[in-house]
Amino acid sequence: MYIGAIEAGGTKIVCGIGNEQGEIIDRVSFPTLQPSETLPRIVEYFRGKELKSIGVGTFGPINIDKSSPEYGYVTTTPKPGWSNYPFLGELKKAFDLPFGWDTDVNAAALGEAKWGAAKGLDSCLYYTVGTGIGVGVYAEQRLIHGFMHPEGGHVLVRRHAEDHYEGFCPYHNDCLEGLAAGPALEKRWGVKGAELGADHPAWAMEAYYIGQALSQAILLLAPKKIILGGGVMHQEQLFPLIRQEVQRTLNGYVNVPQLAGGIDSYIVPPGLGDNAGLSGAVALGINALQEFAGQRNS
Ligand code: ADP
Ligand code: ZN
C-alpha cells in the first residue's frame, strides 16, 4: 500500500511515497517558491502513482478546524503568495483521495510515536529548532488541537543575564523562537550556528532557553518523551546541556525517573532522523485513510 507524503517547509518542500511501516520508498525535494510554481511540481510528482491517501505536514500557521470554511488554508505566513492560501483545497482539486492535514511538527510527533523514538508511548512532544521553532503535541494517542494547533515556539522565556541580543520574532522579539532559532544564533554571534565550535558559549545560552521551554512543557503536559529535531539540533553537544538545564529549572520538583537517571533516554534526537517529517506525513495519510474507511462503514 502506498501513501503520499508532503513535508512542506519554509525553504523546501519534500514529497515522497511511504508504506504502512513508515518506510520512505521514494522522495524528491524542491524549493518552496510561490504556490503557482510549487503546486504544479507537487501534482506532477504524485500524478499516476497508485496512492491510497496523502498526508500533508506543513509550515504554518494553518487552519485545522474542519468546520471552518478556511479549513486547509495556510493563514498568516509572511512567505510570499502563501498567506491565506487554500493549500489543501488545491491539492484536493488534483487528487480525489483522503487527505491528512496538520503542521510539520505535529506530523513529526505522530511519526515518532508510531515508528520512532516514542514508539509504543501514548504521548510525546516534537520540537524543531531550525529557521523557526515549532512544537508538535501528541497526547493520549492523538495529536492535540484547540482552536488551532499548538504554537509552542513562541512561549516566553526568561532572558539570560549575559544576552544582549534583542531577539528576532516580529511579534514578541524575545520569545523562545526569537532568541533560540537558527537566525538568532547567527545574529547574536555574527556567524551561522554550524560555524560555532562545540565549546562556544553560544551552546550553553541556547540550552538555557530551550531547557526552560521544555521544563514548562513538562509541567503542563507531562509528555512521556521529548524529541528535539531541526538543523540547530545537529549540534549534539546541546543534548546534555539541555538535559542539565531541565533538571536545574525543575529542581527535583517532578520526581520521576525520566527526569533523573533516565533523562538521557527522555530528551532525545528523532528516532527517524531527518525522515521524521516525511514519515510523519505518511502517518497522517494513514490516519486519514482509516478515518475515511470508518466513515464509509458507519
Ligand atoms: P528549516 O527550519 O528551514 O526547515 P532546518 O531545520 O535545517 O530547516 O533549520 C535551518 C536553520 O538551522 C538555519 O538557521 C541554520 O543556520 C541552522 N542550522 C543548520 N544546520 C546547523 C548546524 N549543524 N548547527 C547549527 N545550526 C544549524
Ligand atoms: Zn514569537
Side-chain angles (χ1 to χ4, degrees):
M1 182 171 87
Y2 293 143
I3 308 290
I6 303 173
E7 182 191 10
T11 47
K12 67 177 195 298
I13 302 228
V14 188
C15 295
I17 313 282
N19 62 19
E20 55 267 69
Q21 283 79 44
E23 292 156 349
I24 303 300
I25 294 152
D26 186 50
R27 65 193 291 157
V28 292
S29 138
F30 33 84
T32 310
L33 305 173
Q34 293 265 355
S36 57
E37 292 174 74
T38 304
L39 240 287
R41 296 195 69 173
I42 299 176
V43 171
E44 182 196 345
Y45 174 72
F46 288 118
R47 176 94 58 210
K49 306 254 187 342
E50 305 240 321
L51 304 176
K52 293 283 182 206
S53 64
I54 298 179
V56 188
T58 175
F59 68 90
I62 60 174
N63 188 317
I64 45 87
D65 174 4
K66 285 186 177 161
S67 67
S68 161
E70 273 95 47
Y71 175 69
Y73 278 53
V74 176
T75 58
T76 53
T77 177
K79 269 210 88 55
W82 289 87
S83 176
N84 215 22
Y85 176 70
F87 191 10
L88 179 62
E90 290 298 321
L91 291 166
K92 280 184 168 170
K93 278 189 202 164
F95 301 102
D96 182 22
L97 291 170
F99 271 88
W101 168 254
D102 216 312
T103 57
D104 46 1
V105 277
N106 258 352
L110 180 66
E112 287 289 327
K114 226 171 155 77
W115 302 301
K119 190 173 169 183
L121 300 178
D122 60 6
S123 64
C124 72
L125 296 182
Y126 184 96
Y127 280 73
T128 184
V129 187
T131 308
I133 297 185
V135 188
V137 183
Y138 180 79
E140 297 186 340
Q141 296 185 339
R142 62 196 178 86
L143 294 172
I144 296 301
H145 307 114
F147 55 78
M148 63 182 286
H149 49 81
E151 276 288 354
H154 293 266
V155 295
L156 301 182
V157 285
R158 201 177 281 168
R159 211 166 232 292
H160 192 285
E162 283 151 37
D163 190 5
H164 305 297
Y165 172 59
E166 70 274 22
F168 78 94
C169 174
Y171 292 89
H172 321 109
N173 291 328
D174 56 359
C175 64
L176 176 65
E177 176 171 298
L179 290 174
L185 280 167
E186 190 175 341
K187 287 177 183 144
R188 179 184 295 116
W189 303 104
V191 292
K192 281 190 183 297
E195 287 154 31
L196 293 164
D199 53 0
H200 193 281
W203 304 119
M205 192 180 281
E206 182 73 4
Y208 176 81
Y209 291 128
I210 296 173
Q212 280 186 60
L214 298 197
S215 292
Q216 291 169 61
I218 288 166
L219 293 168
L220 200 59
L221 293 162
K224 291 185 181 164
K225 191 78 81 177
I226 299 183
I227 300 152
L228 305 179
V232 174
M233 293 311 303
H234 286 139
Q235 299 284 337
E236 288 172 12
Q237 73 281 4
L238 272 174
F239 280 90
L241 295 172
I242 290 169
R243 292 175 189 131
Q244 274 169 29
E245 199 55 39
V246 167
Q247 288 174 326
R248 191 185 68 77
T249 48
L250 292 176
N251 198 24
Y253 178 69
V254 185
N255 187 13
V256 294
Q258 287 94 326
L259 294 170
I263 198 161
D264 289 357
S265 52
Y266 177 63
I267 298 172
V268 295
L272 301 170
D274 288 333
N275 270 344
L278 200 59
S279 294
V282 174
L284 288 177
I286 292 173
N287 280 5
L289 183 61
Q290 284 167 349
E291 214 175 287
F292 176 73
Q295 280 163 1
R296 251 192 339 193
N297 295 337
S298 64

